[in-house]
């Protein structure tokens, strides 16, 4: 029985569900993992995650499809990215097999929290790994927990698909040759100060430029950036942005489903003024249209405007959601059935 939740009024927040998954790494290996009901974790005060932020995470969603199945979208790519993130922080990676098994178990156990088809909500899945034993000299932990929590969510930005205004940040989110390309808590810790400032100033998100020259578009605090110009889908290429699974999927949808020409390349900040549509894309953001960019008082108005999403981003969003919710045929291997 589906839980008695007002799905359509959900925002992007945390709600404890019935079960979470945990696997322990000890003596050089991961155990087989289990579901537990306690949402709290007790750790030593000197755990590496507390002292040196040794933690990496992922984000994906489960959907109810039009025919009532519960599915996730390309979880194999989340497994691979989590392993890449883990290696960069000297965390032992979990295998793709264990990752997929854990996602299946935890979503199935919480299936009553998966929002129904057509509600506009989904079940957000947050896998994470952290160093748990006491460490005071700077070195990796020897013991870890791989956990997955799930929580039903609505849109990441208030108003769902309404255009947002973002500002160019005074801060960098990543260093050249740093950790911008992995999903580590440390990248989000340093974004908290600029995001609080941006919200206080009335902006929805920060846009970060390339840290070396500050002339090229990178991404926002929680999503990659995409542009439409005529028949082209343009998205920045950089070693210091997170390789978004949504963006990589949209590149394929744009080309194969909508017949757009895809350009994955360096994008100069100065090019934004010539774009027709601009959006943020990610698991949480899906596609959120950007109506205006504020660069220290210099305003760039995107021609699609502040009232609604532009026509091409709308088509991309509808096609992507259709693939995820089973009303548009998916490319081979994109949909992973849970139950
Ligand atoms: N960029 C950042 C910094 C993110 O936190 C996210 C969210 O996961 C994304 C991009 C989008 O990635 P994905 O599409 O894999 O969710
Ligand atoms: C996601 O889209 O899954 C993310 O992790 C973004 C986060 C800022 C909520």
């Amino acid at each position: 029985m589906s839980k008695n939740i007002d799905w359509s009024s959900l925002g992007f927040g945390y709600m404890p569900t019935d079960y979470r998954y945990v696997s322990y790494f000890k003596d050089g290996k991961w155990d087989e993992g289990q579901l537990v009901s306690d949402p709290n974790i007790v750790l030593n005060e000197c755990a590496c995650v507390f002292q040196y932020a040794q933690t990496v995470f992922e984000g994906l969603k489960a959907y109810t499809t039009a025919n009532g199945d519960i599915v996730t979208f390309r979880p194999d790519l989340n497994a691979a990215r989590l392993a890449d993130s883990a290696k960069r922080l000297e965390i032992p990676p979990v295998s793709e097999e264990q990752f997929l098994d854990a996602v299946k178990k935890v979503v199935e156990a919480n299936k009553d929290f998966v929002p129904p088809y057509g509600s506009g909500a989904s079940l957000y899945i947050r896998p994470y790994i952290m160093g748990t034993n006491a460490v005071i000299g700077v070195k990796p932990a020897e013991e870890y927990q791989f956990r997955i929590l799930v929580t039903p969510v609505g849109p990441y930005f208030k108003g769902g698909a309404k255009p947002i205004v973002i500002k160019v940040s005074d801060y960098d989110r990543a260093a050249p040759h740093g950790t911008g390309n992995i999903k580590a808590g440390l990248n989000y810790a340093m974004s908290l100060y600029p995001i609080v400032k941006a919200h206080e100033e009335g902006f929805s998100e920060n846009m970060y430029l390339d840290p070396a020259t500050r002339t090229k578009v990178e991404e926002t605090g929680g999503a990659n950036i995409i542009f439409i110009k005529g028949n082209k889908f343009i998205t920045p290429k950089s070693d210091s942005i997170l390789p978004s699974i949504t963006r990589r999927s949209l590149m394929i949808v744009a080309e194969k489903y909508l017949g757009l020409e895809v350009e994955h390349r360096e994008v100069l900040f100065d090019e934004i003024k010539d774009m027709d549509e601009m959006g943020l894309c990610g698991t949480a953001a899906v596609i959120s249209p950007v109506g205006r960019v504020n660069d220290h008082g210099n305003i760039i108005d995107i021609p699609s405007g502040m009232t609604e999403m532009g026509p091409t981003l709308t088509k991309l969003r509808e096609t992507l959601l259709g693939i995820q919710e089973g009303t548009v045929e998916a490319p081979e291997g994109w949909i992973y059935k849970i139950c």
Side-chain angles (χ1 to χ4, degrees):
M1 260 302 275
S2 198
K3 297 278 172 182
N4 186 18
I5 293 170
D6 180 6
W7 308 107
S8 60
S9 66
L10 283 176
F12 196 86
Y14 168 74
M15 169 193 301
T17 62
D18 291 342
Y19 297 98
R20 56 279 305 135
Y21 173 93
V22 56
S23 170
Y24 296 92
F25 183 91
K26 208 174 171 182
D27 301 325
K29 57 179 189 308
W30 288 106
D31 73 12
E32 65 184 13
Q34 59 185 301
L35 295 173
V36 295
S37 53
D38 189 350
N40 300 300
I41 303 173
V42 176
L43 291 181
N44 184 272
E45 61 190 346
C46 210
C48 198
V49 59
F50 297 144
Q51 303 309 325
Y52 301 123
Q54 196 191 18
T55 178
V56 292
F57 69 101
E58 268 306 319
L60 65 161
K61 282 173 171 171
Y63 310 85
T64 305
T65 65
N67 70 7
D69 291 343
I70 294 175
V71 303
T72 60
F73 180 71
R74 310 189 79 184
D76 51 323
L77 299 189
N78 295 97
R81 192 171 63 188
L82 185 66
D84 288 343
S85 300
K87 286 177 207 153
R88 179 65 176 80
L89 295 198
E90 287 292 335
I91 292 172
V94 298
S95 68
E96 176 180 308
E97 189 190 2
Q98 178 168 6
F99 182 94
L100 295 178
D101 174 64
V103 166
K104 186 170 165 56
K105 284 194 173 120
V106 74
V107 173
E108 206 164 7
N110 291 291
K111 68 176 186 310
D112 297 346
F113 289 91
V114 183
Y117 173 73
S119 64
S122 53
L123 187 76
Y124 187 68
I125 307 168
R126 173 54 64 87
Y128 56 109
I129 316 178
M130 62 193 160
T132 51
N133 65 291
V135 162
I136 195 79
V138 178
K139 62 173 184 184
E142 283 155 11
E143 294 175 13
Y144 295 84
Q145 288 184 26
F146 165 44
R147 287 182 162 259
I148 306 183
L149 67 86
V150 298
T151 185
V153 295
Y156 190 65
F157 294 107
K158 269 196 230 90
K162 288 289 274 182
I164 56 171
V165 183
I166 63 176
K167 68 169 280 193
V168 176
S169 180
D170 293 324
Y171 299 87
D172 295 323
R173 103 169 247 290
H177 317 294
T179 54
N181 61 336
I182 61 162
K183 211 160 164 60
L186 58 92
N187 289 336
Y188 299 82
M190 68 80 231
S191 78
L192 297 175
Y193 182 78
I195 196 67
V196 169
K197 289 268 166 280
H199 286 162
E200 280 169 5
E201 294 164 12
F203 301 106
S204 296
E205 251 290 13
N206 279 300
M207 168 173 182
Y208 293 99
L209 302 181
D210 75 294
T213 71
R214 293 219 175 155
T215 58
K216 290 173 260 179
V217 179
E218 293 249 304
E219 62 175 327
T220 64
N224 278 186
I225 296 178
I226 57 179
F227 299 99
I228 302 296
K229 184 180 177 184
N231 192 41
K232 285 185 185 157
F233 173 100
I234 303 170
T235 188
K237 186 176 202 166
S238 157
D239 290 341
S240 45
I241 69 179
L242 190 77
S244 158
I245 293 163
T246 313
R247 188 260 301 158
R248 283 182 274 161
S249 304
L250 285 172
M251 287 169 62
I252 296 169
V253 171
E255 189 185 329
K256 302 269 187 274
Y257 289 65
L258 302 188
L260 302 177
E261 192 181 322
V262 173
E263 289 186 0
H264 186 209
R265 57 163 172 87
E266 288 188 343
V267 178
L268 291 174
F269 181 77
D270 283 345
E271 290 182 68
I272 297 180
K273 63 179 185 332
D274 305 321
M275 302 293 184
D276 298 327
E277 299 177 45
M278 174 173 182
L280 310 186
C281 74
T283 298
V286 192
I287 296 181
S288 299
V290 175
R292 175 176 290 173
V293 179
N294 187 318
D295 176 20
H296 302 90
N298 173 27
I299 310 280
I300 306 168
D301 279 316
I302 307 299
S304 53
M306 284 302 301
T307 19
E308 54 188 28
M309 188 180 292
T312 307
L313 287 189
T314 302
K315 270 190 238 157
L316 274 168
R317 188 174 198 271
E318 282 169 3
T319 311
L320 178 70
L321 287 172
I323 290 171
Q324 291 167 335
E325 297 184 338
T327 56
V328 173
E329 193 177 342
E332 178 78 30
W334 279 22
I335 300 299
Y336 177 81
K337 185 171 164 179
I338 303 281
C339 56

